[in-house]
Structures are given as structure tokens and as C-alpha cells.
Coordinates of all heavy atoms in Angstrom, one line a residue:
M13 N -21.3 10.6 5.5 CA -20.4 9.8 6.4 C -19.7 8.7 5.5 O -20.4 8.0 4.8 CB -21.1 9.3 7.5 CG -20.3 8.4 8.5 SD -21.3 7.8 9.7 CE -20.4 8.2 11.1
T14 N -18.3 8.6 5.6 CA -17.7 7.6 4.9 C -17.3 6.4 5.7 O -17.1 6.6 6.9 CB -16.3 8.2 4.2 OG1 -15.5 8.6 5.3 CG2 -16.6 9.4 3.3
N15 N -17.2 5.3 5.0 CA -16.9 4.1 5.8 C -15.3 3.9 5.7 O -14.8 3.6 4.7 CB -17.6 2.9 5.1 CG -17.2 1.6 5.8 OD1 -16.4 1.5 6.7 ND2 -17.9 0.5 5.4
R16 N -14.7 4.2 6.9 CA -13.2 4.2 6.9 C -12.6 2.8 6.7 O -11.4 2.6 6.6 CB -12.7 4.8 8.1 CG -13.2 6.2 8.4 CD -12.8 7.2 7.4 NE -11.4 7.3 7.2 CZ -10.8 7.6 6.0 NH1 -11.5 7.8 5.0 NH2 -9.6 7.7 5.9
C17 N -13.5 1.7 6.8 CA -13.0 0.4 6.7 C -12.9 -0.1 5.3 O -12.3 -1.1 5.0 CB -13.9 -0.6 7.4 SG -13.7 -0.3 9.2
K18 N -13.4 0.7 4.3 CA -13.4 0.3 2.9 C -12.0 0.5 2.4 O -11.2 1.5 2.7 CB -14.4 1.2 2.1 CG -15.6 0.5 1.7 CD -16.4 1.3 0.8 CE -16.6 0.5 -0.4 NZ -17.4 1.2 -1.4
T19 N -11.6 -0.3 1.4 CA -10.3 -0.2 0.8 C -10.5 0.7 -0.4 O -11.2 0.5 -1.3 CB -9.9 -1.6 0.3 OG1 -9.8 -2.5 1.4 CG2 -8.6 -1.5 -0.3
P20 N -9.8 1.9 -0.4 CA -9.8 2.8 -1.5 C -9.0 2.3 -2.6 O -8.1 1.5 -2.5 CB -9.2 4.1 -1.0 CG -8.3 3.6 0.1 CD -8.9 2.3 0.7
P21 N -9.4 2.6 -3.9 CA -8.6 2.2 -5.0 C -7.2 2.9 -4.9 O -7.2 4.0 -4.7 CB -9.4 2.7 -6.3 CG -10.3 3.8 -5.8 CD -10.6 3.5 -4.2
L22 N -6.2 2.1 -5.2 CA -4.8 2.6 -5.1 C -4.3 3.1 -6.4 O -3.5 4.1 -6.4 CB -3.9 1.6 -4.5 CG -4.1 1.2 -3.1 CD1 -3.0 0.2 -2.6 CD2 -4.1 2.4 -2.2
A23 N -4.7 2.6 -7.5 CA -4.4 3.2 -8.9 C -2.8 3.3 -8.9 O -2.4 4.4 -9.3 CB -5.1 4.5 -9.2
I24 N -2.1 2.3 -8.6 CA -0.7 2.3 -8.7 C -0.3 1.8 -10.1 O -0.8 0.7 -10.6 CB 0.0 1.4 -7.7 CG1 -0.3 1.9 -6.3 CG2 1.4 1.2 -7.9 CD1 0.2 1.0 -5.2
T25 N 0.5 2.5 -10.8 CA 1.1 2.2 -12.1 C 2.6 1.9 -12.0 O 3.3 2.8 -11.5 CB 0.8 3.2 -13.1 OG1 -0.6 3.5 -13.2 CG2 1.2 2.7 -14.5
L26 N 3.0 0.7 -12.4 CA 4.4 0.4 -12.2 C 5.0 0.4 -13.6 O 4.6 -0.4 -14.5 CB 4.7 -0.9 -11.5 CG 4.1 -1.1 -10.1 CD1 4.3 -2.5 -9.6 CD2 4.7 -0.1 -9.2
S27 N 6.0 1.1 -13.9 CA 6.7 1.1 -15.1 C 7.8 0.1 -15.1 O 8.4 -0.2 -14.0 CB 7.3 2.4 -15.6 OG 8.4 2.8 -14.8
S28 N 8.1 -0.6 -16.1 CA 9.3 -1.5 -16.2 C 10.4 -1.1 -17.1 O 11.0 -1.9 -17.7 CB 8.8 -2.9 -16.6 OG 8.1 -2.8 -17.8
A29 N 10.6 0.2 -17.1 CA 11.7 0.7 -17.9 C 13.0 0.3 -17.5 O 13.2 0.2 -16.3 CB 11.7 2.3 -17.9
P30 N 13.9 -0.1 -18.4 CA 15.2 -0.6 -18.1 C 15.9 0.5 -17.2 O 15.8 1.7 -17.4 CB 15.9 -0.7 -19.4 CG 14.8 -0.7 -20.4 CD 13.6 0.0 -19.8
G31 N 16.6 0.0 -16.2 CA 17.4 0.8 -15.3 C 16.5 1.6 -14.3 O 17.1 2.4 -13.5
S32 N 15.3 1.2 -14.2 CA 14.5 1.9 -13.2 C 14.6 1.2 -11.9 O 15.2 0.2 -11.7 CB 12.9 2.0 -13.6 OG 12.5 0.7 -13.8
A33 N 14.0 1.8 -10.8 CA 14.1 1.3 -9.5 C 13.4 -0.1 -9.4 O 12.5 -0.4 -10.3 CB 13.3 2.3 -8.6
P34 N 13.8 -0.9 -8.4 CA 13.1 -2.2 -8.2 C 11.6 -2.0 -7.9 O 11.3 -1.0 -7.4 CB 13.8 -2.7 -7.0 CG 15.2 -2.0 -6.9 CD 14.9 -0.6 -7.5
L35 N 10.8 -3.0 -8.3 CA 9.4 -2.9 -8.1 C 9.0 -2.6 -6.7 O 8.1 -1.8 -6.4 CB 8.8 -4.2 -8.7 CG 8.7 -4.4 -10.2 CD1 8.0 -5.6 -10.5 CD2 7.9 -3.2 -10.9
K36 N 9.6 -3.3 -5.7 CA 9.3 -3.1 -4.3 C 9.5 -1.6 -3.9 O 8.7 -1.1 -3.2 CB 10.1 -4.0 -3.4 CG 11.6 -3.7 -3.4 CD 12.3 -4.7 -2.4 CE 13.8 -4.2 -2.5 NZ 14.6 -5.1 -1.5
D37 N 10.6 -1.0 -4.5 CA 10.6 0.5 -4.2 C 9.6 1.3 -4.8 O 9.2 2.3 -4.3 CB 12.1 0.9 -4.7 CG 13.1 0.3 -3.9 OD1 13.0 -0.3 -2.8 OD2 14.3 0.3 -4.4
K38 N 9.2 0.9 -6.0 CA 8.1 1.7 -6.7 C 6.8 1.5 -6.0 O 6.0 2.5 -5.8 CB 8.0 1.2 -8.2 CG 9.1 1.5 -9.1 CD 8.9 0.9 -10.4 CE 10.1 1.1 -11.3 NZ 10.0 0.5 -12.6
V39 N 6.5 0.3 -5.5 CA 5.3 0.1 -4.7 C 5.3 0.9 -3.4 O 4.4 1.6 -3.1 CB 5.0 -1.4 -4.4 CG1 3.8 -1.6 -3.5 CG2 4.9 -2.2 -5.7
Y40 N 6.4 0.9 -2.8 CA 6.6 1.7 -1.5 C 6.4 3.1 -1.8 O 5.7 3.8 -1.1 CB 8.1 1.4 -1.0 CG 8.6 2.4 0.0 CD1 8.2 2.3 1.3 CD2 9.3 3.5 -0.4 CE1 8.7 3.3 2.3 CE2 9.7 4.5 0.5 CZ 9.4 4.4 1.8 OH 9.8 5.3 2.7
A41 N 7.1 3.7 -2.9 CA 7.0 5.1 -3.1 C 5.6 5.5 -3.5 O 5.1 6.6 -3.1 CB 8.0 5.4 -4.2
S42 N 5.0 4.6 -4.3 CA 3.5 5.0 -4.7 C 2.6 5.1 -3.4 O 1.8 6.0 -3.3 CB 3.0 3.9 -5.6 OG 3.7 4.0 -6.8
I43 N 2.7 4.0 -2.5 CA 1.9 4.1 -1.3 C 2.2 5.3 -0.4 O 1.4 6.0 0.1 CB 2.0 2.7 -0.6 CG1 1.4 1.7 -1.4 CG2 1.2 2.8 0.7 CD1 1.6 0.3 -0.9
L44 N 3.6 5.5 -0.3 CA 4.0 6.6 0.5 C 3.5 7.9 0.0 O 3.0 8.8 0.7 CB 5.6 6.7 0.6 CG 6.2 7.8 1.4 CD1 5.8 7.8 2.8 CD2 7.7 7.8 1.1
E45 N 3.5 8.2 -1.3 CA 3.1 9.4 -2.0 C 1.5 9.5 -1.6 O 1.1 10.7 -1.4 CB 3.3 9.4 -3.4 CG 2.9 10.7 -4.2 CD 3.6 11.9 -3.7 OE1 4.7 11.7 -3.1 OE2 3.1 13.0 -3.9
K46 N 0.8 8.4 -1.7 CA -0.7 8.5 -1.5 C -0.9 8.8 -0.1 O -2.0 9.5 0.3 CB -1.3 7.3 -1.9 CG -1.3 7.1 -3.4 CD -2.0 5.8 -3.8 CE -1.8 5.6 -5.3 NZ -2.2 6.7 -6.2
I47 N -0.1 8.4 0.9 CA -0.3 8.7 2.3 C 0.1 10.2 2.5 O -0.7 11.0 3.1 CB 0.6 7.9 3.2 CG1 0.0 6.4 3.2 CG2 0.6 8.4 4.7 CD1 1.0 5.4 3.9
K48 N 1.1 10.7 2.0 CA 1.6 12.1 2.1 C 0.6 13.1 1.5 O 0.4 14.2 2.1 CB 3.0 12.3 1.5 CG 4.1 11.7 2.3 CD 5.4 12.0 1.5 CE 6.6 11.6 2.4 NZ 7.9 12.0 1.7
T49 N -0.1 12.6 0.4 CA -0.9 13.7 -0.3 C -2.4 13.5 0.2 O -3.3 14.3 -0.2 CB -1.0 13.4 -1.8 OG1 -1.4 12.1 -2.1 CG2 0.4 13.7 -2.4
G50 N -2.7 12.6 1.1 CA -4.0 12.5 1.7 C -4.9 11.6 0.9 O -6.1 11.4 1.3
V51 N -4.4 11.0 -0.1 CA -5.3 10.0 -0.8 C -5.6 8.8 0.1 O -6.8 8.4 0.1 CB -4.6 9.5 -2.1 CG1 -5.4 8.4 -2.8 CG2 -4.4 10.7 -3.1
L52 N -4.6 8.4 0.8 CA -4.8 7.4 1.9 C -4.7 8.1 3.2 O -3.7 8.8 3.4 CB -3.8 6.3 1.8 CG -3.8 5.4 0.6 CD1 -2.6 4.5 0.5 CD2 -5.1 4.5 0.7
R53 N -5.7 8.0 4.0 CA -5.8 8.7 5.3 C -5.8 7.6 6.4 O -6.0 6.4 6.2 CB -7.1 9.4 5.3 CG -7.1 10.5 4.2 CD -8.3 11.5 4.4 NE -9.5 10.8 4.7 CZ -10.7 11.0 4.2 NH1 -10.8 11.9 3.3 NH2 -11.7 10.3 4.6
P54 N -5.4 8.1 7.6 CA -5.4 7.2 8.7 C -6.6 6.4 8.9 O -7.8 7.0 8.8 CB -5.2 8.2 9.9 CG -4.5 9.3 9.3 CD -5.1 9.5 8.0
G55 N -6.5 5.2 9.1 CA -7.6 4.2 9.2 C -7.9 3.5 7.9 O -8.7 2.5 7.9
D56 N -7.5 4.1 6.7 CA -7.9 3.5 5.5 C -7.3 2.0 5.4 O -6.1 1.9 5.8 CB -7.3 4.3 4.3 CG -8.3 5.4 3.9 OD1 -9.4 5.5 4.4 OD2 -7.8 6.3 3.2
R57 N -7.9 1.1 4.9 CA -7.4 -0.2 4.7 C -6.9 -0.4 3.3 O -7.4 0.2 2.4 CB -8.5 -1.3 4.8 CG -9.0 -1.4 6.2 CD -10.0 -2.5 6.4 NE -9.3 -3.8 6.0 CZ -9.8 -5.0 6.2 NH1 -11.1 -5.1 6.6 NH2 -9.1 -6.0 5.8
L58 N -5.8 -1.0 3.3 CA -5.1 -1.4 2.0 C -5.5 -2.7 1.5 O -6.0 -3.5 2.3 CB -3.5 -1.4 2.1 CG -2.9 0.1 2.0 CD1 -3.3 1.0 3.1 CD2 -1.4 -0.1 1.9
P59 N -5.5 -3.0 0.2 CA -5.8 -4.4 -0.3 C -4.9 -5.3 0.4 O -3.7 -5.0 0.7 CB -5.6 -4.2 -1.7 CG -5.4 -2.8 -2.1 CD -5.1 -2.1 -0.9
S60 N -5.2 -6.6 0.4 CA -4.3 -7.6 0.9 C -3.1 -7.7 -0.1 O -3.2 -7.3 -1.2 CB -5.1 -8.9 0.9 OG -5.2 -9.4 -0.4
S61 N -2.1 -8.1 0.5 CA -0.8 -8.2 -0.3 C -1.0 -9.2 -1.5 O -0.5 -8.8 -2.7 CB 0.3 -8.7 0.5 OG 0.1 -10.0 1.1
R62 N -1.8 -10.2 -1.4 CA -2.1 -11.0 -2.6 C -3.0 -10.3 -3.6 O -2.7 -10.4 -4.8 CB -2.9 -12.3 -2.0 CG -2.1 -13.3 -1.4 CD -2.9 -14.6 -1.0 NE -2.0 -15.6 -0.5 CZ -1.8 -15.6 0.9 NH1 -2.4 -14.8 1.7 NH2 -1.0 -16.6 1.3
D63 N -3.9 -9.6 -3.2 CA -4.8 -8.9 -4.1 C -4.0 -7.8 -4.8 O -4.2 -7.6 -6.0 CB -6.0 -8.3 -3.5 CG -7.0 -9.3 -3.0 OD1 -6.9 -10.5 -3.5 OD2 -8.0 -9.0 -2.2
L64 N -3.2 -7.0 -4.1 CA -2.4 -5.9 -4.7 C -1.4 -6.5 -5.6 O -1.2 -5.9 -6.7 CB -1.8 -5.1 -3.6 CG -1.1 -3.8 -4.1 CD1 -2.0 -2.9 -5.0 CD2 -0.5 -3.0 -2.9
A65 N -0.8 -7.5 -5.2 CA 0.2 -8.2 -6.1 C -0.4 -8.7 -7.5 O 0.1 -8.5 -8.5 CB 0.9 -9.4 -5.5
R66 N -1.6 -9.2 -7.3 CA -2.3 -9.7 -8.5 C -2.7 -8.5 -9.4 O -2.5 -8.5 -10.6 CB -3.6 -10.5 -8.1 CG -4.3 -11.2 -9.2 CD -5.5 -12.0 -8.7 NE -5.1 -12.9 -7.6 CZ -5.6 -12.8 -6.4 NH1 -6.5 -11.9 -6.1 NH2 -5.2 -13.6 -5.5
E67 N -3.2 -7.4 -8.7 CA -3.6 -6.2 -9.5 C -2.4 -5.6 -10.2 O -2.6 -5.2 -11.3 CB -4.2 -5.3 -8.5 CG -4.6 -4.0 -9.1 CD -5.2 -2.9 -8.0 OE1 -5.8 -3.5 -7.0 OE2 -4.8 -1.7 -8.2
L68 N -1.3 -5.6 -9.6 CA 0.0 -5.0 -10.2 C 0.7 -5.9 -11.1 O 1.6 -5.4 -11.8 CB 0.9 -4.5 -9.1 CG 0.3 -3.4 -8.1 CD1 1.3 -3.1 -6.9 CD2 0.0 -2.2 -8.9
G69 N 0.3 -7.2 -11.1 CA 1.1 -8.1 -11.9 C 2.5 -8.4 -11.4 O 3.5 -8.6 -12.2
C70 N 2.7 -8.4 -10.1 CA 4.0 -8.6 -9.5 C 3.9 -9.7 -8.5 O 2.8 -10.1 -8.2 CB 4.6 -7.3 -8.9 SG 3.8 -6.7 -7.5
G71 N 5.0 -10.0 -7.9 CA 5.0 -11.1 -6.8 C 4.5 -10.5 -5.5 O 4.7 -9.4 -5.2
R72 N 4.0 -11.5 -4.7 CA 3.4 -11.0 -3.4 C 4.6 -10.5 -2.5 O 4.5 -9.6 -1.7 CB 2.8 -12.2 -2.7 CG 2.3 -11.8 -1.3 CD 1.4 -12.9 -0.8 NE 1.0 -12.7 0.6 CZ 1.1 -13.4 1.6 NH1 1.6 -14.6 1.5 NH2 0.8 -13.0 2.8
V73 N 5.8 -11.1 -2.7 CA 7.0 -10.6 -1.9 C 7.3 -9.2 -2.2 O 7.6 -8.4 -1.2 CB 8.2 -11.6 -2.2 CG1 9.4 -11.0 -1.5 CG2 7.9 -12.9 -1.6
T74 N 7.1 -8.7 -3.4 CA 7.2 -7.3 -3.7 C 6.4 -6.4 -2.8 O 6.8 -5.4 -2.3 CB 7.0 -7.1 -5.2 OG1 7.9 -7.9 -6.0 CG2 7.1 -5.7 -5.7
V75 N 5.1 -6.8 -2.8 CA 4.2 -6.0 -2.0 C 4.4 -6.1 -0.5 O 4.5 -5.1 0.1 CB 2.8 -6.4 -2.3 CG1 1.8 -5.7 -1.5 CG2 2.4 -6.2 -3.8
T76 N 4.7 -7.3 0.0 CA 5.0 -7.4 1.4 C 6.2 -6.7 1.9 O 6.3 -6.2 3.0 CB 5.0 -8.9 1.9 OG1 6.0 -9.6 1.1 CG2 3.7 -9.6 1.7
S77 N 7.1 -6.6 0.9 CA 8.4 -5.9 1.3 C 8.1 -4.4 1.4 O 8.6 -3.7 2.4 CB 9.4 -6.1 0.2 OG 10.5 -5.3 0.4
A78 N 7.3 -3.8 0.5 CA 6.9 -2.5 0.6 C 6.0 -2.2 1.9 O 6.3 -1.2 2.6 CB 6.1 -2.1 -0.7
F79 N 5.0 -3.1 2.1 CA 4.3 -3.0 3.3 C 5.1 -3.0 4.6 O 4.9 -2.2 5.6 CB 3.2 -4.1 3.4 CG 2.0 -3.9 2.5 CD1 1.8 -2.9 1.7 CD2 1.0 -4.8 2.6 CE1 0.8 -2.7 0.9 CE2 -0.2 -4.7 1.9 CZ -0.3 -3.7 1.0
S80 N 6.1 -3.9 4.6 CA 7.0 -4.0 5.8 C 7.8 -2.8 6.1 O 7.9 -2.3 7.2 CB 7.9 -5.2 5.6 OG 7.2 -6.4 5.6
R81 N 8.3 -2.2 4.9 CA 9.1 -1.0 5.1 C 8.2 0.2 5.6 O 8.7 0.9 6.5 CB 9.6 -0.6 3.7 CG 10.6 0.5 3.7 CD 11.3 0.7 2.4 NE 12.0 2.0 2.3 CZ 12.5 2.4 1.2 NH1 12.4 1.7 0.0 NH2 13.1 3.6 1.1
L82 N 7.0 0.3 5.0 CA 6.1 1.4 5.5 C 5.7 1.1 7.0 O 5.5 2.1 7.7 CB 4.9 1.5 4.6 CG 5.2 2.0 3.2 CD1 4.1 1.6 2.2 CD2 5.4 3.5 3.2
S83 N 5.5 -0.1 7.3 CA 5.1 -0.5 8.8 C 6.4 -0.1 9.7 O 6.1 0.4 10.8 CB 4.8 -2.0 8.9 OG 3.6 -2.3 8.2
A84 N 7.5 -0.4 9.2 CA 8.7 -0.2 10.1 C 8.9 1.4 10.3 O 9.4 1.8 11.3 CB 9.9 -0.7 9.4
E85 N 8.3 2.2 9.3 CA 8.4 3.6 9.5 C 7.2 4.2 10.2 O 7.1 5.4 10.3 CB 8.5 4.2 8.0 CG 9.9 3.9 7.3 CD 9.9 4.3 5.9 OE1 9.0 5.1 5.5 OE2 10.9 4.1 5.2
G86 N 6.3 3.3 10.6 CA 5.2 3.7 11.5 C 4.1 4.3 10.6 O 3.1 4.9 11.2
L87 N 4.1 4.0 9.3 CA 3.1 4.6 8.5 C 1.9 3.6 8.2 O 0.8 4.0 7.9 CB 3.6 5.0 7.1 CG 4.6 6.1 7.2 CD1 5.4 6.3 5.9 CD2 4.0 7.4 7.7
L88 N 2.2 2.3 8.4 CA 1.1 1.3 8.3 C 1.1 0.4 9.5 O 2.0 0.2 10.2 CB 1.3 0.4 7.1 CG 1.4 1.0 5.7 CD1 1.7 -0.1 4.7 CD2 0.1 1.7 5.4
T89 N -0.1 -0.1 9.8 CA -0.2 -1.1 10.9 C -0.9 -2.3 10.3 O -1.7 -2.2 9.3 CB -1.1 -0.6 12.0 OG1 -2.4 -0.3 11.5 CG2 -0.5 0.6 12.7
A90 N -0.5 -3.5 10.8 CA -1.1 -4.8 10.3 C -1.4 -5.7 11.4 O -0.7 -5.6 12.4 CB -0.2 -5.4 9.3
G91 N -2.4 -6.5 11.3 CA -2.7 -7.5 12.3 C -3.6 -8.5 11.7 O -4.3 -8.3 10.8
A92 N -3.5 -9.7 12.3 CA -4.3 -10.9 11.9 C -5.8 -10.5 12.0 O -6.2 -10.0 13.1 CB -4.0 -12.1 12.7
G93 N -6.5 -10.6 11.0 CA -7.9 -10.4 11.0 C -8.3 -8.9 10.7 O -9.4 -8.6 10.5
R94 N -7.3 -8.0 10.8 CA -7.6 -6.7 10.6 C -7.0 -6.1 9.3 O -7.4 -5.0 8.8 CB -6.8 -5.7 11.6 CG -7.3 -5.9 13.1 CD -6.7 -4.8 14.0 NE -5.2 -5.0 14.0 CZ -4.4 -4.1 13.9 NH1 -4.8 -2.9 13.5 NH2 -3.0 -4.3 13.9
G95 N -6.2 -6.8 8.7 CA -5.6 -6.4 7.4 C -4.5 -5.3 7.6 O -4.0 -5.2 8.8
T96 N -4.2 -4.6 6.6 CA -3.2 -3.6 6.7 C -3.9 -2.2 6.6 O -4.8 -2.0 5.7 CB -2.2 -3.7 5.6 OG1 -1.5 -5.0 5.7 CG2 -1.0 -2.7 5.7
Q97 N -3.6 -1.3 7.4 CA -4.3 0.1 7.4 C -3.1 1.2 7.6 O -2.0 0.9 8.1 CB -5.2 0.1 8.6 CG -6.3 -0.9 8.7 CD -7.1 -0.7 10.0 OE1 -6.6 -0.4 11.0 NE2 -8.4 -0.9 9.8
V98 N -3.6 2.3 7.1 CA -2.7 3.4 7.4 C -2.8 3.8 8.9 O -3.9 3.8 9.4 CB -3.3 4.6 6.6 CG1 -2.4 5.9 6.8 CG2 -3.2 4.4 5.0
A99 N -1.6 4.0 9.5 CA -1.5 4.2 10.9 C -2.2 5.5 11.3 O -2.3 6.5 10.4 CB -0.1 4.3 11.3
R100 N -2.8 5.5 12.5 CA -3.6 6.8 13.0 C -2.5 7.7 13.5 O -1.5 7.4 14.0 CB -4.5 6.3 14.0 CG -5.6 5.5 13.4 CD -6.8 5.3 14.3 NE -7.8 4.4 13.7 CZ -8.7 4.9 12.9 NH1 -8.8 6.1 12.5 NH2 -9.6 4.0 12.3

């Protein structure tokens, strides 16, 4: 039995090649791909925006922008005290 409340490792790698997409789009695309491929499943918790930004070496606004876009598309849910999760 797995604990669905655990935060799985995201293993997101961001390239900073000249002319590449903005970082917020890369974070968005990476998380979206992990949801589509089943790496992240409904109910999985994501790291906090602060923790993920620190891990990726980017600003928190970059991560919150990606989270907001995924939430607007119905793929993530967020709430005070619950953190951010993949939508069921």
C-alpha cells in the first residue's frame, strides 16, 4: 500500500539554453508531462512552491505561475493546509 500523501520526487531539469522557452513554461510542461505519463497520479502532493523553486534554482513566482496555470486547467488543486495536489 502506498501513501498517496507523500510528495514524489519530480526530477525536473531546466535548461537555460539561449532562445529557449521561459522557465515558467518549462516547469509547467515538465509537471504536465509527469501527470500525462502517470508519474504524478491523482492525489499526489507536489512540493511547496518555495521548496520546488529552491530545488530548481529559480524564483518562486516561476513555480507559482506554473502551478496556477495547471490549476486553471483543472489538473492541480490547492488549499491552505493541504498543499498542492494532482486533481482527482
Side-chain angles (χ1 to χ4, degrees):
M13 180 181 231
T14 60
N15 180 354
R16 302 304 300 150
C17 291
K18 254 188 128 180
T19 303
L22 291 183
I24 295 174
T25 304
L26 302 176
S27 75
S28 57
S32 63
L35 287 178
K36 66 181 181 176
D37 293 342
K38 292 178 186 179
V39 174
Y40 164 84
S42 294
I43 296 172
L44 178 62
E45 182 65 22
K46 290 180 186 309
I47 293 170
K48 285 183 173 182
T49 59
V51 172
L52 289 172
R53 300 186 318 220
D56 280 346
R57 289 185 64 172
L58 276 68
S60 71
S61 57
R62 283 183 179 91
D63 288 346
L64 186 54
R66 189 177 309 116
E67 179 183 322
L68 297 175
C70 66
R72 182 173 174 231
V73 172
T74 298
V75 174
T76 58
S77 176
F79 281 7
S80 293
R81 186 172 167 191
L82 290 160
S83 293
E85 293 175 6
L87 297 169
L88 298 180
T89 60
R94 291 187 302 125
T96 303
Q97 299 176 322
V98 178
R100 295 191 182 275

